[in-house]
Amino acid sequence: MNSDTRIPLNDGNSLPAIGFGTYPLRGREGTDAVLSAIDTGYRLLDTAVNYGNEDAVGRAVSETSVPREEIQITTKLPGRHHGYEETIASCHASLDALGLDYLDLYLIHWPNPSVGKWIDTWKAMIELRADGPVRSIGVSNFTIEFLERLEAETGVLPAVNQIELHPFFPQTELLEYHREKGIVTEAWSPLGKNAPVLTAEPITRAAEAHGVTPGQVVLRWHTQIGSLPIPKSASPERQRENFEIFDFELDGDEVVAITALGKPDGRLFGGDPNTHEEM
């Protein structure tokens, strides 16, 4: 596997093996950070209405010399825009904010079960894909129960489910379900936000053995367990470090040891995800 590796989707499209997260990069500084990421080699950019930075990401895409068709843009529908017509309108508002003619990947940011419109929202996503302004459709923060409902109600499974996933929260059951159903797993906060993931002994030991950083070990672990990580950093140096993970490989024992770090409640974010700025 190398940085040019493509991950096939269940709709015939594909994604790069690593992406670039853009939360909370905003304004001119955000645009410059995204431009730096593109220069580093990232070709999958992840944004959302709730991040408040679709305009900054769109400016970077317009300013870079890399052709639009070589860059894949993901954005996410917020919970407050659920509903069939609301979803159609929100998608076009995101396209306007980004300054784009189409989205490469459009995700439902959260099922928002208390409102209960996520099935109608998914039907609108299916129409958007059929009509052309969206190439691939998916979800974020969906459990197996919600994914099963999508399939039962519409017969269409998402191409992607973007979830919290890191060594303290490896989501092995959901990851296996994704494999069985042909859903690509994307990982937000793949390095574990404000948590001692990078100082865990199996990770530091593997870093020393391979002559890389603990962060590189964790991101490589993601790619080897079938997770597409979306690290985020405004630092050009850290962006390069996060991207350079394809010239070494963890052995099976190292992967198992890192996965075994998973805790019974390894989530880094508690409370109602609807209120979290990531959602």
Side-chain angles (χ1 to χ4, degrees):
M1 180 185 291
N2 57 52
S3 59
D4 296 325
T5 298
R6 308 288 301 181
I7 307 299
L9 301 180
N10 59 21
D11 58 11
N13 296 319
S14 64
L15 295 173
I18 188 169
F20 181 70
T22 65
Y23 175 82
L25 306 172
R26 296 174 180 164
R28 185 64 235 180
E29 290 184 358
T31 295
D32 289 342
V34 175
L35 282 168
S36 171
I38 295 171
D39 288 343
T40 296
Y42 291 90
R43 293 296 180 265
L44 174 60
L45 308 178
D46 183 85
T47 183
V49 172
N50 281 352
Y51 298 173
N53 66 359
E54 289 177 317
D55 57 340
V57 173
R59 279 195 302 271
V61 174
S62 68
E63 292 178 15
T64 183
S65 60
V66 176
R68 164 68 181 100
E69 60 270 18
E70 295 182 17
I71 301 173
Q72 291 179 269
I73 307 296
T74 302
T75 195
K76 307 181 193 75
L77 174 89
R80 63 187 178 277
H81 293 173
H82 279 209
Y84 192 92
E85 297 298 335
E86 295 90 339
T87 298
I88 302 293
S90 187
C91 176
H92 287 285
S94 286
L95 287 168
D96 288 343
L98 286 158
L100 301 178
D101 296 326
Y102 66 92
L103 297 171
D104 298 278
L105 179 60
Y106 196 35
L107 307 181
I108 300 176
H109 209 157
W110 174 250
N112 207 14
S114 63
V115 175
K117 295 183 178 180
W118 50 281
I119 295 294
D120 287 339
T121 298
W122 185 240
K123 290 177 180 178
M125 303 276 270
I126 295 170
E127 179 176 315
L128 286 164
R129 185 181 64 178
D131 288 348
V134 174
R135 300 288 173 84
S136 295
I137 55 175
V139 297
S140 183
N141 304 299
F142 272 52
T143 64
I144 292 175
E145 176 188 0
F146 289 116
L147 293 170
E148 288 178 337
R149 279 283 308 280
L150 285 183
E151 184 176 26
E153 296 278 352
T154 70
V156 178
L157 282 167
V160 167
N161 187 14
Q162 187 181 120
I163 58 174
E164 180 185 354
L165 194 158
H166 49 78
F168 282 0
F169 192 46
Q171 298 251 45
T172 52
E173 181 182 2
L174 184 53
L175 193 63
E176 180 58 30
Y177 179 84
H178 287 169
R179 288 193 194 102
E180 293 174 359
K181 292 293 188 175
I183 300 169
V184 168
T185 304
E186 283 188 345
W188 58 263
S189 287
L191 297 173
K193 185 177 180 182
N194 299 326
V197 170
L198 299 183
T199 60
E201 196 273 338
I203 292 170
T204 57
R205 184 173 67 241
E208 183 176 357
H210 294 279
V212 297
T213 68
Q216 288 173 315
V217 167
V218 173
L219 294 173
R220 188 67 175 123
W221 169 82
H222 275 277
T223 66
Q224 290 186 222
I225 66 169
S227 164
L228 193 168
I230 307 174
K232 48 196 174 188
S233 176
S235 162
E237 293 77 16
R238 183 61 59 82
Q239 289 173 1
R240 284 193 294 272
E241 176 186 310
N242 290 344
F243 192 72
E244 294 171 354
I245 60 169
F246 298 101
D247 56 358
F248 72 98
E249 185 169 351
L250 303 172
D251 66 35
D253 290 341
E254 289 169 330
V255 171
V256 168
I258 294 170
T259 304
L261 291 169
K263 301 176 184 299
D265 185 14
R267 289 179 181 270
L268 300 181
F269 302 104
D272 180 5
N274 280 301
T275 66
H276 193 275
E277 54 201 347
E278 288 265 3
M279 306 300 175

